[in-house]
């Protein structure tokens, strides 16, 4: 193993995309806003892989199918800027077709007259081994990216790698880290996890946003994208370019650390980062230092994301206005159910949801109205298509008073299913493909460690009893939530030691289920992260078969944490 180059200066890595469809101008903003060594872009999510898979099926002969085309358009504006400033670009925009994207980046560079060396990483595509899937891709690690950069690549595009690998790879290349540098790699993985969702680290989607708006109403209008100053020992400072919007503080970084994670161990292909060792320190205005991160050998398996088509879905939303809302809902439901039951084939899944958005004596028609949503799913498009559409429309003059719908139902649209499996680390051919065509194999890690249960950390002493007031949890606690396949996670944190003493003993699994009745019959697991004053809850199965299946009203659980914060419970007055 090459000894780490401890004398190397910190590496400044910025992010310009948190998802496919993020702010187009972010790449230019990051390249012109301040000094950078590397600029990353995260374009892939579970849903994105499904979208790209369908794109490839529709356009099998199109060499541009299967990758994030936005990235290429951004480079047309910004590749010259990156070359002038000596910034290397690393992005997972290759999606299902990293070789195709790399070739088109080369053509773009030639057309623009820019001497850019373009490399790509491959080996994640295991679709051929899963013939019933639309796309099956293993989550690769950082060392393919590192190999490309060590060989002089200016642009590296990948397919499915872990989001944090986009940061850990450049750090490993810059500092000479090897697979056994677990603590250093874990520090970079944590920094990468903070950066991966872009402006979520700089005040976007932040629970306590109103506090910052109170100081300066414009501060969150156009938050700048984050960057990390990574040091040779794996510590980092999260910050942003000067004079950009947003805010970086311990709260915004904590929120992102809790996003889409589960237990104390954050497992990846290169290292398992111990989130229960992470410490955060405010290092100045808009600067948060991440330190103390410990790492362990990675697990012997890689996560494999399987996307397949699940069938067809259709929906219609009825608007119920004024009085007798429950009776109106019952009437139209009975009318449509009789048609559905009389049809040759009833949809495999029929779901009704009544959202009481109406208000008594409302000053506008809209605020006097409730919404009744019907969703049907079935493997056969005809079963969810014209039969339902015709039945719903034919009720227009024969149902409840004030009948209308938000939009007429269509013929039924396909929906996807995401499943996670695991394959041995050596089941993939992880390869760095250089600009000159050379192929550098990336071996699996020699040392692995099977994940096991962590002993539960001791809880702080509980607060002494005192007067309490019924109030929303969100007056005291922040939260952030998200999806992992069919599961959701909800991270909850507080900002003082006294509040932590209360939260750790109050927000049990039983109380969580009580506050969110939708989780009452589901498996809920609580993880304790004392250094962050945080609890992280995993709710298994609440999202059904994943975001593409549109199982619930909030299919990615983005607002599950905000629902929790809105719930009332008895909070000590001393904390309010």
């Amino acid at each position: 193993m090459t000894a780490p180059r401890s004398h190397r200066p910190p590496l400044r890595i910025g992010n310009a995309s948190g998802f496919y469809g993020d702010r187009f101008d972010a790449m230019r903003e990051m390249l012109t806003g301040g000094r950078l060594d590397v600029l990353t872009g995260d374009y892939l999510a579970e849903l994105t892989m499904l979208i790209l898979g369908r794109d490839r099926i529709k356009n099998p002969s199109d060499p541009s199918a299967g990758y994030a085309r936005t990235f290429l358009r951004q480079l047309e504006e910004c590749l010259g800027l990156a070359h002038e400033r000596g910034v290397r670009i690393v992005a997972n925009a290759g999606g299902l077709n990293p070789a195709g994207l790399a070739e088109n980046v080369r053509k773009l560079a030639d057309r623009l007259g820019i001497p850019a060396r373009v490399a790509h990483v491959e080996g994640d595509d295991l679709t051929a081994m899963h013939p019933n899937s639309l796309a099956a891709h293993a989550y690769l690690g950082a060392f393919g990216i590192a190999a490309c950069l060590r060989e002089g690549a200016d642009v590296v595009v990948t397919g499915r790698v872990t989001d944090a690998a986009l940061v850990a790879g450049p750090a490993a290349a810059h500092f000479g880290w090897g697979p056994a540098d677990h603590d250093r790699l874990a520090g970079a993985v944590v920094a990468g996890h903070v950066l991966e969702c872009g402006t979520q680290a700089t005040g976007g989607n932040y629970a306590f946003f109103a506090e910052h708006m109170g100081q300066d109403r414009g501060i969150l209008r156009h938050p700048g994208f984050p960057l990390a100053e990574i040091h040779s020992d794996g510590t980092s400072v999260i910050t942003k370019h000067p004079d950009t919007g947003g805010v970086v503080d311990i709260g915004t970084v904590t929120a992102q650390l809790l996003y889409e994670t589960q237990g104390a161990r954050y497992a990846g292909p290169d290292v398992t980062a111990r989130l229960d060792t992470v410490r955060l320190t405010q290092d100045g205005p808009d600067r948060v230092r991440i330190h103390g991160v410990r790492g362990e050998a990675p697990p012997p398996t890689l996560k494999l994301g399987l996307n397949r088509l699940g069938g067809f879905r259709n929906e219609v939303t009825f608007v119920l206005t004024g009085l007798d809302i429950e009776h109106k809902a019952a009437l139209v439901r009975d009318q449509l159910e009789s048609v559905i039951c009389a049809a040759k084939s009833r949809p495999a899944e029929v779901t009704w949801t009544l959202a009481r958005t109406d208000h008594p004596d409302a000053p506008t028609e809209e605020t006097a109205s409730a919404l009744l949503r019907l969703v049907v799913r079935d493997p056969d498009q005809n079963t969810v298509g014209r039969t339902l559409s015709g039945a719903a429309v034919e009720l227009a003059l024969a149902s409840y008073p004030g009948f209308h719908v938000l939009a007429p139902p269509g013929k039924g649209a396909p929906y996807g299913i995401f499943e996670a499996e695991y394959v041995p680390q050596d089941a993939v051919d992880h390869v760095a493909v250089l600009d000159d065509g050379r192929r550098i194999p990336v071996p699996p890690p020699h040392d692995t460690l099977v994940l096991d249960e962590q002993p539960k950390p001791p809880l702080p002493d509980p607060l002494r009893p005192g007067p309490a007031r019924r109030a929303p949890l969100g007056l005291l606690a922040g939260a952030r939530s998200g999806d992992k396949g069919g599961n959701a996670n909800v991270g909850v944190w507080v900002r003082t030691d006294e509040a932590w003493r209360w939260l750790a003993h109050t927000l049990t699994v039983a109380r969580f289920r009580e506050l969110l009745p939708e989780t009452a019959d589901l498996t809920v697991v609580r993880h304790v992260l004392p250094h962050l004053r945080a609890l992280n809850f995993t709710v298994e199965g609440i999202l059904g078969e994943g975001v593409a299946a549109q199982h619930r009203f909030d299919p990615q659980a983005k607002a599950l944490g905000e629902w929790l914060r809105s719930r009332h419970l008895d909070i000590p007055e001393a904390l309010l």
Side-chain angles (χ1 to χ4, degrees), residues 5 11 13 38 40 88-91 121 140-151 156 158 161-178 184-193 230 270-271 430 442:
R5 296 190 282 270
L11 185 69
I13 303 180
V38 178
T40 67
R88 301 164 102 176
I89 295 176
V90 180
V121 177
L140 301 181
F143 284 99
I145 295 169
C148 294
L149 294 171
R150 284 169 177 158
E151 293 294 326
V156 181
T158 77
V161 296
T162 63
D163 302 336
L166 300 174
V167 169
H174 181 75
F175 295 114
W177 298 340
R184 295 180 174 92
L185 288 168
V189 163
V190 169
H193 178 60
I230 300 182
D270 307 306
V271 68
H430 190 177
V442 179

Side-chain angles (χ1 to χ4, degrees), residues 522-537:
L522 301 173
T523 298
V524 178
V525 182
R526 184 179 100 146
H527 308 280
V528 180
L529 300 170
H531 294 316
L532 299 177
R533 301 191 193 98
L535 303 171
N536 209 348
F537 295 88

Side-chain angles (χ1 to χ4, degrees), residues 9 43 47 77 80 107 115 135 159-160 168 180 196 244 287 296 314 321 334 348 363 459 515 523:
Y43 292 79
L47 181 60
E77 292 186 6
K107 291 177 180 178
R160 181 74 277 183
E196 70 185 53
T244 56
R287 293 177 61 84
E296 299 171 341
N314 205 349
T321 304
D334 182 60
L459 298 181
L515 294 173
T523 298

